[in-house]
Amino acid sequence: MFRFCFSAPAAAGCLLALLLAAGATRADAPAGTQPLSEEREGLLQELLAETVRIRGLEPPTRLLTGEQLPAATRSFLESTISEELADEKLSGLQRVLEWFGVIPEGLDLRAAYTDLLSSQVAGYFDLDSEYLVVVDGPTAEIEQQFESPEIAALFENSIFVHEINHALQHEHFDLNRLTPDEPAISDEQTAAAALIEGDSTLVMYSYMFGFGFERFRTGGMRSMLENPAELIQMSPWIPGGKELLTAPAYLRDMLMFPYLSGLLFCTEVQAAGGHKLLNHALASDPPASTEQILHPDKWITNRDDPVMIEVPAGDGDYRLAESGTWGEFGIRLVLAERLPGAEVNERIGIAQGWGGDAFGLYRNGSDEVLVWATEWDNPDEAREFLQAARDAFPGWRVKKAGKTRVVLHTQTGNAAMRDAKRLSRLFARADSSRRGSTAPDFAALGIGKQDIPKPLSAREYMSLLDHPVLKDMFEAQMESMDEERLEALFEDEDFNAQMAEMMEDGFAEEMDTLIADSMPAMSVTEGVFEVPEHGLTMTVPAGAGWESMEDPGTGALMVVNADYGATISLGMTPVPEFMPLSSLGVAMRMQFESQGLFETTSGETVVNGQPAFRGRYVSEDEVVIVDLSVIRIGGFGLTVGLTRPGAADAELGLELDSVLGSLKLQRSQ
């Protein structure tokens, strides 16, 4: 929205506020900036070297640094926001946001931005003075969240790396060029901010995790980032999280978009063409829309530039007071407010057909008219939006204007209907053009196989479970994930498609091999199931009619009674300590439901002193009954299942409790 970009919580961590600030030109450091201590200055120089190594760019000719107390930073924010939102500009912007329904009427917009940002700023890079300013305050919240000082220091250093990368960007690509004066609501400017912030967040994560984050397979990440409010709730370490959750959703989500979606865009760009391709985007070919940010293939390979609609200057006594473009992401936010009952995926689907848009606010004294023209990829997409708009904008005039254009307008009570219609007709007939850029030419950019990052192997992924930051993050997020959220995630089509993509190219096979290799040795001998590595023994049925064997598909051991059609399955599966057993229960229920078996009872329990989860799953006709328990044994789950026909249940006379009751551990787990 402004010519400074807000930093938002990237999934790992910290809500920064990076300000690429315009305003009064400063030759000196921002007011209230003090020199860094010798120790902290030395640390920044070390982190500069790391940032240069990760990003693959030459160091800046100078790195000016300083620090501020929170009060000085708030004063800087207030001054910058006041300069960017002068009264005349604020009036038009506020009216547009209220009319579109994304902020409550009467909201003090300046105060809302200042309060939201000042609660979270941990550092910023000022374009005018070229100072990197560290802010004392928010990092203390991070230190309180983690017991380990080393982890807290890693988070704080990652913030500095994020800011240092902006200094590198400015040195090599001139961020002023990427952040020109634009309307307050500009889809192109939001896309540019996502490129800038996504790059720095990518570098930040690469530093934090110790490997190039572009090597991370992003399957599943996009679905998890579709709801920023839930992400904040799952990330209690985020400074300013309370303020974000209570802020209007539009302000929060627009603030976070450059960091969350920008990270995914830059990750996919760098995964496709390494630093050379990302540098090309920053140097001469930035994404032109949030559509390209949300769908990186529309920038990387299948270039889809937006349709630019010419905004009329006015008509008669009505003059243009404010204009802008919402873009695909902005339309998502508008529909979220105006169609709150619609499913998230439904609103996303409507916005995905976006081809371009433009709005204009016109004033004649106190009379106002707002007109919004939208272009869609094809007539079907236009019809879908037309229907949604009629539901979403009661009281507005919504009309089709050609095969792919839909125009909406509204006006104050005093504005003449004929004036509003006349302005609406100007938008219906307004000229439009498409930028017509082309997808990157990899050969011309010198991008070869040697530049393409190699995806993380399954072994490297497994090692992440021991990463100190990730372990704490996973634990906090899993604790906040109730069954409803987990089930929604597991059922999400995009999540499952992305996870399937992640498992391609031999990854799944490698993961299966690693898991199999990590499994402790198990055996069943004369009615005793043993796992020697864990000192575990358990009595299972033996004798007439019972036979032990190994399941060739899963490696689990089975004790089978063919006469009754009963099977006891025994196995060990990795269960990280941060993962609550209830989350396994959700996965188990969904898996059994896909097989026609439905949960009748379930819950966490204790089996011979060990935490466990138990569930019973029965077919609709009660032909099949499955009792299953997962018992936590160190970093593994001992799975014990009893499957038998419902008709033979009483005759068999075997309950899972009799098997579990014999569980013995020779040492504490």
Side-chain angles (χ1 to χ4, degrees), residues 146 148 151 154 464-473:
F146 298 100
S148 167
I151 296 178
L154 180 60
L464 294 179
L465 296 177
D466 294 322
H467 190 285
V469 174
L470 283 173
K471 285 176 68 174
D472 276 1
M473 284 170 48

Side-chain angles (χ1 to χ4, degrees), residues 67-149:
E67 63 182 354
Q68 289 179 337
L69 294 174
T73 303
R74 183 179 177 88
S75 177
F76 173 81
L77 280 168
E78 289 174 342
S79 173
T80 303
I81 291 173
S82 294
E83 291 171 8
E84 289 294 296
L85 284 181
D87 289 344
E88 183 177 349
K89 188 170 186 178
L90 176 65
S91 172
L93 172 63
Q94 178 122 9
R95 191 70 179 116
V96 167
L97 295 178
E98 289 176 348
W99 239 340
F100 274 100
V102 294
I103 64 169
E105 289 193 19
L107 177 72
D108 187 335
L109 201 53
R110 282 200 196 106
Y113 274 120
T114 302
D115 291 344
L116 188 57
L117 289 172
S118 61
S119 68
Q120 303 141 10
V121 178
Y124 63 89
F125 180 70
D126 177 26
L127 279 181
D128 294 318
S129 65
E130 299 185 353
Y131 259 80
L132 189 159
V133 180
V134 176
V135 182
D136 285 338
T139 53
E141 295 184 36
I142 300 170
E143 294 170 4
Q144 293 173 6
Q145 289 291 336
F146 298 100
E147 296 179 1
S148 167

Side-chain angles (χ1 to χ4, degrees), residues 616-653:
R616 169 168 284 198
Y617 310 89
V618 181
S619 63
E620 201 164 1
D621 53 9
E622 298 189 359
V623 170
V624 179
I625 300 174
V626 178
D627 284 317
L628 183 65
S629 288
V630 181
I631 307 161
R632 191 184 292 280
I633 308 291
F636 292 88
L638 168 63
T639 59
V640 184
L642 170 60
T643 304
R644 69 276 193 196
D649 192 27
E651 187 178 352
L652 182 64

Side-chain angles (χ1 to χ4, degrees), residues 304-320:
D304 185 3
D305 281 333
V307 174
M308 295 174 288
I309 301 172
E310 187 174 319
V311 178
D315 182 72
D317 293 329
Y318 281 85
R319 309 314 300 167
L320 183 65

